[in-house]
């Protein structure tokens, strides 16, 4: 980590941007407002972020890194691979019921950047590939007979959960998660829940700005 990346001023700018971008949207929040609320000089802002695009990429990159760190802790747990998948979706449901939830930070950002080749969309695509690969690895560990296609299906399910939790009845969606994931996995219905220790660990490490 460089000295610049450890700068308290940079940290304030990034924290302020993360809060405002997630709560209000990226294009609606101007640089001057971020500078004012972060309490930094304009020159200091541009020293760390030459343009707003760089700030948006840094914001999304950090959100991805937070999720990857949380997933690493989950992967290292003793829970069975399928329990880990259930844990991921239970935590998404929990977050969807939380105050201030506005859906997925990555889907929200993608909606504001139409060009798939834009640097912001490149960060989003990399995160989505990572999440899909995580699911595929867990399915492979569980010896699922169709890990690739099921991972794709689970990504679609995850997208729907985050959108539905914001737009509809989050508690109802949360209550249906286990049944829905069970069907997506092609498993027989069961009343057993995911590993409690895995759920607690992943929940404690989850990022603050949505999945």
């Amino acid at each position: 980590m460089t000295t610049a990346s450890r700068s308290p001023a940079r940290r304030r700018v990034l924290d302020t941007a993360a809060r405002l971008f997630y709560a209000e949207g990226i294009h609606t929040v101007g640089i001057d407002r971020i500078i004012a609320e972060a309490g930094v000089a304009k020159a200091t802002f541009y020293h760390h972020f030459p343009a707003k695009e760089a700030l948006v990429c840094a914001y999304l990159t950090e959100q991805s890194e937070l999720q990857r760190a949380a997933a690493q802790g989950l992967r290292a747990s003793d829970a069975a691979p399928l329990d880990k998948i259930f844990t991921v979706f239970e935590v998404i449901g929990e977050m969807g019921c939380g105050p201030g939830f506005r859906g997925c930070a990555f889907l929200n950002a993608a909606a504001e950047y139409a060009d798939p080749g834009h640097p912001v969309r490149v960060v989003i695509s990399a995160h989505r590939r990572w999440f899909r690969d995580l699911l595929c690895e867990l399915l492979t560990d569980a010896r699922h007979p169709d890990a690739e296609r099921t991972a794709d299906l689970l990504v679609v399910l995850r997208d729907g959960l985050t959108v539905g939790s914001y737009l509809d009845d989050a508690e109802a969606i949360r209550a249906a998660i286990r049944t829905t994931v069970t069907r997506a996995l092609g498993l027989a219905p069961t009343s057993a829940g995911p590993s409690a220790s895995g759920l607690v660990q992943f929940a404690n490490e989850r990022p603050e700005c949505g999945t």
Side-chain angles (χ1 to χ4, degrees), residues 16-30 33-34 37 52 59 100-102 108 112 166:
T16 301
R19 172 174 55 82
L20 294 175
F21 287 163
Y22 185 70
E24 301 180 22
I26 294 170
H27 290 326
T28 60
V29 177
R33 182 179 173 193
I34 294 172
E37 294 200 19
K52 184 178 181 180
Y59 151 61
F101 184 76
R102 282 196 67 248
N108 293 350
E112 298 196 50
Y166 175 50

Side-chain angles (χ1 to χ4, degrees), residues 180-195:
T180 305
V181 175
T182 297
R183 291 177 178 176
L185 292 173
L187 302 175
T190 174
S191 61
S195 166

Side-chain angles (χ1 to χ4, degrees), residues 13 36 71 103 173-175:
V13 169
I173 290 173
R174 180 183 183 183

Side-chain angles (χ1 to χ4, degrees), residues 22-142:
Y22 185 70
E24 301 180 22
I26 294 170
H27 290 326
T28 60
V29 177
I31 292 297
D32 288 343
R33 182 179 173 193
I34 294 172
I35 289 171
E37 294 200 19
V40 300
K42 184 170 289 190
T44 300
F45 174 90
Y46 285 109
H47 170 72
H48 294 289
F49 304 102
K52 184 178 181 180
E53 174 186 292
L55 176 60
V56 176
C57 288
Y59 151 61
L60 292 172
T61 296
E62 182 169 73
Q63 292 304 308
S64 182
E65 289 172 349
L66 289 168
Q67 291 192 26
R68 292 174 194 232
Q72 184 175 0
L74 181 65
R75 291 281 328 251
S77 74
D78 294 330
L82 290 183
D83 279 345
K84 294 175 183 179
I85 292 175
F86 279 109
T87 295
V88 169
F89 283 89
E90 292 284 355
V91 170
I92 291 172
E94 178 189 348
M95 293 176 65
C97 294
F101 184 76
R102 282 196 67 248
C104 170
F106 299 93
L107 292 180
N108 293 350
E112 298 196 50
Y113 291 88
D115 179 7
H118 190 282
V120 171
R121 288 288 297 271
V122 171
V123 174
I124 295 168
S125 294
H127 175 77
R128 290 177 64 79
R129 284 194 302 273
W130 162 78
F131 183 71
R132 189 262 182 196
D133 289 346
L134 170 68
L135 295 172
C136 191
E137 289 170 8
L138 291 173
L139 288 163
T140 300
D141 290 346

Side-chain angles (χ1 to χ4, degrees), residues 144-165:
H144 192 283
D146 196 359
E148 295 283 342
R149 189 171 66 172
T150 303
D152 291 337
L153 179 60
L154 289 173
V155 171
V156 173
L157 175 58
R158 173 258 183 212
D159 290 346
L161 286 174
T162 56
V163 173
S165 293

